[in-house]
Amino acid sequence: MVYRNRHPDPPSDDKRWLIINATMRRHGYQADALIETLHTVQSVFGYLDKPTIEFVADSLSLPKSQAYGVATFYHFFSMKPMGAHSCVVCTGTACYIKGSDAIMKSITNAFDVTDGETTADGQLSLLTARCLGACGLAPAVVVDGQVLAHMTPETTVDALENVTQAAPAEEQAEERVSDGA
Ligand code: FES
């Protein structure tokens, strides 16, 4: 008897596909695993692309159009590679009144990046959110997942310069290895 693999092969032999397959397996490859699986893809690869979305759709036996629909509907899914660092500026009412607009302009001027884009060197992605649920901290900015309160254009640019100019921990480790340290 010939047994066929029920599930398609991942787009590459990257080990991170094991994590994504584990999410789908945990849900029995049911269609309702779609959002959680896309979340897993986003967290391990940083963004969703065409081969990924099609692989997830095929694995869950869903129409590709449905998977694309979900991936493009929710703003927390990114269809483009994100930068090494992220900055989310809250533009909700409380933050707007307290100057989020000036913060956005200062970031654009300092880093040459606009909302939804990543700097040419891939260091920083700039995003906006309608309300972070932390209006008492307005204007609030999230840098690499950390909420920063009562920000000004100057303190925001300083915070971003600090993270973008610091070498990532893995890079420092690699440098130490290549230096023979
Ligand atoms: S409006 Fe910015 S946190 Fe609520």
Side-chain angles (χ1 to χ4, degrees):
M1 183 184 278
V2 176
Y3 289 96
R4 286 191 61 232
N5 185 0
R6 258 180 70 222
H7 307 295
D9 291 330
S12 71
D13 56 8
D14 191 310
K15 294 281 180 282
R16 288 174 289 183
W17 288 110
L18 296 174
I19 302 171
I20 291 146
N21 272 330
T23 300
M24 295 192 285
R25 196 167 49 247
R26 205 167 50 245
H27 290 270
Y29 292 90
Q30 296 294 307
D32 59 9
L34 177 60
I35 290 184
E36 187 172 338
T37 306
L38 293 180
H39 261 298
T40 305
V41 173
Q42 170 102 8
S43 66
V44 300
F45 285 112
Y47 70 107
L48 310 174
D49 63 6
K50 189 166 181 274
T52 302
I53 293 170
E54 296 188 353
F55 166 69
V56 171
D58 289 344
S59 300
L60 301 177
S61 305
L62 284 169
K64 292 180 177 63
S65 58
Q66 187 176 338
Y68 275 114
V70 168
T72 52
F73 178 77
Y74 293 104
H75 75 276
F76 46 74
F77 290 132
S78 172
M79 305 294 286
K80 289 184 279 192
M82 295 290 283
H85 302 279
S86 66
C87 174
V88 183
V89 176
C90 180
T91 56
T93 306
C95 290
Y96 181 79
I97 289 169
K98 294 205 168 179
S100 63
D101 203 31
I103 290 174
M104 284 296 286
K105 285 188 182 128
S106 70
I107 298 169
T108 297
N109 287 341
F111 294 91
D112 193 21
V113 64
T114 53
D115 184 15
E117 298 298 328
T118 297
T119 52
D121 63 2
Q123 275 293 299
L124 180 68
S125 292
L126 177 60
L127 305 158
T128 53
R130 285 302 163 87
C131 176
L132 300 170
C135 305
L137 307 180
V141 174
V142 183
V143 176
D144 286 350
Q146 189 185 354
V147 180
L148 306 178
H150 311 303
M151 299 303 279
T152 66
E154 294 76 24
T155 56
T156 305
V157 168
D158 282 352
L160 293 175
E161 282 175 348
N162 282 340
V163 294
T164 55
Q165 286 167 12
E170 314 87 73
E171 229 171 70
Q172 290 174 3
E174 276 167 25
E175 277 167 19
R176 278 198 299 274
V177 169
S178 65
D179 289 348

